Every structure is written in structure tokens, then in C-alpha cells.
Amino acid sequence: MVPQFIKHCPVCGETLEETLVSVDVKDDVAVCHAESIPALICKNAQCTNKEKYFAPFSYNLIKMKCPEINKW
């Protein structure tokens, strides 16, 4: 993981864990489902933060898996 990325949850301060997630990318009526995208998420069950934090290379991976979506 690259050091400048967020490492701790901004809500509870817990260390974020790298996990592979599935993402639905929408562009008007077009929808693409991309699987196995690396993201950092908070694993604290009591935390209200359900945000997924993506690295720049994750967006490149989504672009490769969803070439028909051109909102980038």
C-alpha cells in the first residue's frame, strides 16, 4: 500500500483493511459490475463509516473492466 493513502478510518480511527470488493459503475442507463477491485474499508463492526476508499490504480482497474462506461 502506498503511504499517502488514507490508512485510518476518519470516523473511529481504526486501521483500514485492504479488501477486494465488487463495484457497480453507472453512467446514465449503462451499468457495469466490476468484481475484485481493491479498496480500503473499516472492519470495526460498531463504526458507522461504510465508505470504500479506492487507490488510483483501482480506478484504472475499473476502467479496464468497464470500458463501456466513459464518465472518467
Side-chain angles (χ1 to χ4, degrees), residues 37-38 52-64 72:
I37 305 298
K52 295 177 181 83
Y53 300 96
F54 296 100
F57 67 86
S58 296
Y59 290 109
N60 292 338
L61 194 57
I62 293 171
K63 281 188 224 178
M64 284 174 20
W72 312 104

Side-chain angles (χ1 to χ4, degrees), residues 13-57:
E14 200 65 39
T15 301
L16 297 173
E17 224 173 86
E18 188 168 339
T19 309
L20 295 178
V21 297
S22 295
V23 181
D24 283 329
V25 183
K26 297 178 178 131
D27 185 13
D28 293 326
V29 293
V31 178
C32 175
H33 185 73
E35 293 192 16
S36 302
I37 305 298
L40 294 173
I41 60 171
C42 183
K43 290 292 198 171
N44 179 354
Q46 282 78 45
C47 184
T48 57
N49 186 5
K50 301 301 173 209
E51 201 61 42
K52 295 177 181 83
Y53 300 96
F54 296 100
F57 67 86

